[in-house]
Amino acid sequence: MSYEPMTGPVSLTVESLTLIDRYTSVDGTLSSNRDIRIEGELRGTLRCEGSVQIAEGARVDATVEAGAITVAGTLRGTIDCRGKLHILKTGFVAGTITTRLLVIEEGGRCEGELSMTVNTDLVTTARLPFDTRPTSERVLETESLES
């Protein structure tokens, strides 16, 4: 088997990502048009046009505005997620939360006030923790669609 070096131009496209590693602590305002991954600590304000990933062991205590958020660590504060807030099994989120879509894996935890927005005209608000009774024990009031 022989080795032949590549000739001609080689093009690799790598999307940029802001990384706060596990040895880094940020106190202040962080803004980015790209994705952000936090493995360390952040306190203050975080504005991200892309997605925010909070790794297991990471701690964020901030006002967060982002397109999407995935939490495996701890997130506390005022959270405004324009897309999906995904809390993994090791994740903990507490505070005032506004999101379009919420996914909590078994073991993940969420506390505080939650507002889910479908569009700008419709907002549903719930206080967490909510009714923990089994669905069969709850009484649902519905309006007949046949009227």
Side-chain angles (χ1 to χ4, degrees):
M1 183 184 284
S2 66
Y3 169 76
E4 294 189 25
M6 294 179 64
T7 58
V10 175
S11 175
L12 295 175
T13 303
V14 177
E15 291 292 323
S16 64
L17 170 83
T18 300
L19 173 65
I20 298 172
D21 70 18
R22 64 185 177 158
Y23 304 106
T24 304
S25 178
V26 175
D27 194 351
T29 300
L30 176 62
S31 298
S32 178
N33 292 330
R34 298 291 184 151
D35 296 343
I36 298 174
R37 179 171 172 82
I38 301 169
E39 297 174 355
E41 295 183 8
L42 180 124
R43 288 177 300 281
T45 302
L46 172 61
R47 292 185 190 96
C48 179
E49 293 300 316
S51 66
V52 172
Q53 301 170 12
I54 300 171
E56 188 172 352
R59 294 188 340 212
V60 176
D61 188 356
T63 297
V64 179
E65 299 171 13
I69 303 171
T70 301
V71 182
T74 300
L75 171 59
R76 295 178 187 271
T78 302
I79 299 115
D80 184 4
C81 181
R82 294 179 301 278
K84 177 169 68 170
L85 172 59
H86 189 173
I87 304 171
L88 302 177
K89 65 183 180 179
T90 58
F92 175 70
V93 177
T96 303
I97 305 155
T98 302
T99 187
R100 289 182 185 247
L101 178 63
L102 175 64
V103 176
I104 304 175
E105 291 185 0
E106 185 175 347
R109 296 176 296 145
C110 184
E111 296 181 354
E113 184 174 315
L114 171 68
S115 295
M116 297 197 59
T117 58
V118 176
N119 59 43
T120 56
D121 299 327
L122 179 62
V123 177
T124 305
T125 301
R127 283 236 181 247
L128 298 176
F130 51 90
D131 191 350
T132 57
R133 294 176 295 161
T135 306
S136 61
E137 295 178 13
R138 297 184 204 161
V139 176
L140 299 177
E141 295 180 20
T142 59
E143 188 175 314
S144 173
L145 297 175
E146 298 175 4
S147 33

